[in-house]
Amino acid sequence: MLPMFEPSVHSSRRKALLSSLAAGDDPSLRNGLLVFPGNRESPMNYPDNAYRFRQDSSFLYFFALAEPDLAATVDLATGESTLYADELTEDMLVWTGPRPSVREQADSAGVERVSPRDRLAADCAGRRLLYLPPYRAETAAELAALAGTDPGAVASGASMPLVRAAIALREIKEDREIGRIERAVDISIDMHLEVVRAARAGMTEAELMAAAYRVALAGGGMPSFPPIATTRGAVLHNHGYGNTLADGGMFLLDAGAETDDGYAGDLTSTFPIGGRYDDRQRAVYGIVLEAGRAAVSAIRPGVPYREAHFAAARAIATGLAGLGLMKGDPEEAVAAGAHALFFPHGLGHQMGLDVHDMEGLGELLVGYDGEPRSTQFGLKSLRMAKPVKPGMVLTVEPGIYFIEGLIERWKAAGKFAQFIEYGELDGWKGLGGFRNEEDWLVTGSGARRLGKPFDKSVAAMEAFRLP
Ligand SMILES: [Mn+2]
């Protein structure tokens, strides 16, 4: 990964973090030590065979450096930051090549002090440690050792003031970050165009997966998450790639690129394998597009993202009533949760250095400001519900799915029979899954779609295909 921004960007972010913590009324924080363990290499099947290294996103945000085995602290008493890292050894020089000195690395992140990596424990001794919740076992183990607690108790010992302050900073994207995210979205669009153009009956999902990967890798980074590339879009997180494409079916691609400096894109396209949507596919796809438009028109500063989700859900209930698959008042159907038979997930999530941005810091804080989350089927899967602010980046990804097993269960139970036309639905069960996902920036007055033009209309999706 490339270094991120100029050193002052990262030192300003740490200053903002410090002033946010100082503004709190907890006096014990003033003598605390913020500890940020960077990620280590993660082996696949033996120590030297590691997954591609990915730095922790909060470490990238505050300290810029994308090497493994680093740690950093910020001393709340002095305001000073320290980078804990080891100098290049002869072996590393041979196997991984030269790299900047520890001092040069610290300078590139605006960090005042440097110290050998193994001094971290001594410097933490006797201090009140504040850290973000770990999501990797080795990080939890190190934090447990530093804090003198059990690894199982480490996550619950994470500092809530620190978590809240980090979320408040990271969720408002700086203009310079928007530029990087747009680059990720542009590469993501190219991944999708490549797959839409190449898809043909007889190919395997794996071949299209490879096409998407090729574009992401050629863009300098990687996919931002394991793509969903499937002929069976009604299985929401389908990570197998063994099916063969057949004419008449739909293909669903949910894939995005991560740039070489760590920013994510995340898009979903659903298109007909044979090149033309049939009448039913066109109708359902059109409702999904309309749901996206309805959602976007509800995105405004101060308005809870839950409202955009409901706008999409109402458009889906209204559209499906037009096809004879739902009935009754769409507003009531959505309030009851009947639409979730077709749209069982949430409208979207924040996106930035993580494709589900900051989810490791706690989805309830990131998406709900810590407020309780609904337990209703469908609504419980909404990741982001709180009021949006200018500078937030969000995915908008409504979908309609014909999940045969779920339809059969609900029908047998007579569930929401006042809103769902089960008799008519029987003839639609094999239609599969449709989702359209775009990435949007909240502006001062509404929202702006990120990335270069990518027309998702029926006519455009049919025209992208190569002859
Ligand atoms: Mn997404």
Side-chain angles (χ1 to χ4, degrees):
M1 287 167 83
L2 295 177
M4 298 185 75
F5 303 109
E6 57 271 34
S8 64
V9 170
H10 301 279
S11 48
S12 306
R13 290 170 176 176
R14 296 192 299 273
K15 275 199 196 85
L17 188 64
L18 288 177
S19 21
S20 163
L21 287 169
D25 50 11
D26 183 350
S28 69
L29 292 183
R30 283 172 212 144
N31 290 312
L33 187 67
L34 310 184
V35 185
F36 295 88
N39 280 343
R40 297 182 180 275
E41 294 282 9
S42 190
M44 280 191 271
N45 48 346
Y46 57 92
D48 277 351
N49 198 24
Y51 291 101
R52 183 190 71 118
F53 177 73
R54 177 56 159 77
Q55 184 57 285
D56 173 74
S57 295
S58 289
F59 196 92
L60 281 178
Y61 185 83
F62 291 111
F63 297 96
L65 302 166
E67 295 287 325
D69 301 324
L70 305 175
T73 59
V74 184
D75 194 326
L76 289 178
T78 64
E80 274 187 340
S81 299
T82 304
L83 174 67
Y84 293 84
D86 292 325
E87 298 293 352
L88 190 70
T89 64
E90 213 161 75
D91 275 340
M92 288 156 74
L93 190 56
V94 170
W95 293 100
T96 52
R99 69 168 190 212
S101 72
V102 171
R103 183 66 257 167
E104 286 168 321
Q105 291 183 63
D107 286 345
S108 71
V111 170
E112 292 88 356
R113 302 179 59 235
V114 297
S115 188
R117 182 66 174 81
D118 65 7
R119 289 286 306 162
L120 177 63
D123 288 356
C124 287
R127 299 295 301 268
R128 178 182 164 147
L129 304 183
L130 294 85
Y131 55 86
L132 299 171
Y135 51 88
R136 288 191 180 189
E138 59 271 29
T139 312
E142 179 169 25
L143 284 170
L146 294 175
T149 60
D150 183 79
V154 164
S156 59
S159 164
M160 281 306 112
L162 175 59
V163 169
R164 286 181 183 278
I167 291 172
L169 286 169
R170 281 183 55 189
E171 73 182 1
I172 306 302
K173 271 62 182 177
E174 301 154 355
D175 286 346
R176 61 175 74 82
E177 292 186 284
I178 303 296
R180 305 291 174 96
I181 293 171
E182 284 214 87
R183 199 159 65 85
V185 178
D186 283 348
I187 300 168
S188 304
I189 289 171
D190 287 340
M191 292 167 72
H192 282 247
L193 288 173
E194 181 89 356
V195 168
V196 176
R197 286 172 182 146
R200 289 293 181 278
M203 294 177 85
T204 63
E205 293 166 345
E207 287 176 83
L208 291 178
M209 169 81 164
Y213 253 85
R214 191 194 69 72
V215 177
L217 295 180
M222 280 283 284
S224 53
F225 59 96
I228 296 164
T230 184
T231 56
R232 300 180 64 228
V235 180
L236 294 192
H237 279 175
N238 193 340
H239 285 303
Y241 309 107
N243 296 311
T244 300
L245 279 64
D247 277 334
M250 302 294 296
F251 194 86
L252 187 150
L253 177 70
D254 185 343
E258 178 180 294
T259 56
D260 46 13
D261 47 17
Y263 284 92
D266 182 9
L267 304 173
T268 305
S269 304
T270 311
F271 59 92
I273 291 163
R276 292 273 176 267
Y277 295 80
D278 70 23
D279 289 347
R280 287 180 164 189
Q281 291 164 346
R282 187 179 309 110
V284 172
Y285 182 69
I287 297 169
V288 171
L289 293 184
E290 180 53 37
R293 283 190 287 270
V296 166
S297 66
I299 301 177
R300 260 187 314 283
V303 175
Y305 203 55
R306 187 187 284 106
E307 295 306 320
H309 171 82
F310 284 138
R314 281 191 301 270
I316 286 170
T318 305
L320 290 178
L323 298 182
L325 299 176
M326 287 188 75
K327 56 189 173 182
D329 178 36
E331 191 96 31
E332 284 174 30
V334 167
H339 68 288
L341 176 61
F342 303 99
F343 176 33
H345 61 75
L347 181 67
H349 47 85
Q350 299 202 51
M351 190 184 81
L353 282 168
D354 304 306
V355 64
H356 288 184
D357 209 24
M358 303 169 284
E359 208 166 279
L361 301 183
E363 200 179 293
L364 200 61
L365 283 171
V366 172
Y368 287 76
D369 270 339
E371 300 292 321
R373 182 167 173 158
S374 171
T375 55
Q376 186 188 71
F377 179 79
L379 195 52
K380 71 176 181 186
S381 300
L382 178 63
R383 299 178 189 279
M384 171 73 187
K386 69 185 184 183
V388 303
K389 295 175 182 169
M392 281 184 177
V393 170
L394 298 152
T395 67
V396 176
E397 47 180 310
I400 294 176
Y401 312 86
F402 296 85
I403 304 168
E404 298 189 32
L406 188 64
I407 294 169
E408 280 155 23
R409 279 195 187 197
W410 281 32
K411 184 183 181 183
K415 202 167 172 184
F416 296 127
Q418 70 273 40
F419 295 121
I420 294 165
E421 285 284 7
Y422 285 106
E424 175 67 19
L425 188 51
D426 277 338
W428 291 68
K429 278 198 298 200
L431 219 65
F434 299 72
R435 179 164 66 253
N436 187 54
E437 180 175 16
E438 298 172 346
D439 303 325
W440 288 76
L441 167 71
V442 182
T443 63
S445 56
R448 172 171 81 79
R449 191 185 65 80
L450 296 175
K452 59 190 180 181
F454 187 17
D455 185 351
K456 303 299 276 291
S457 68
V458 164
M461 292 299 281
E462 291 182 348
F464 286 137
R465 185 187 166 91
L466 297 176

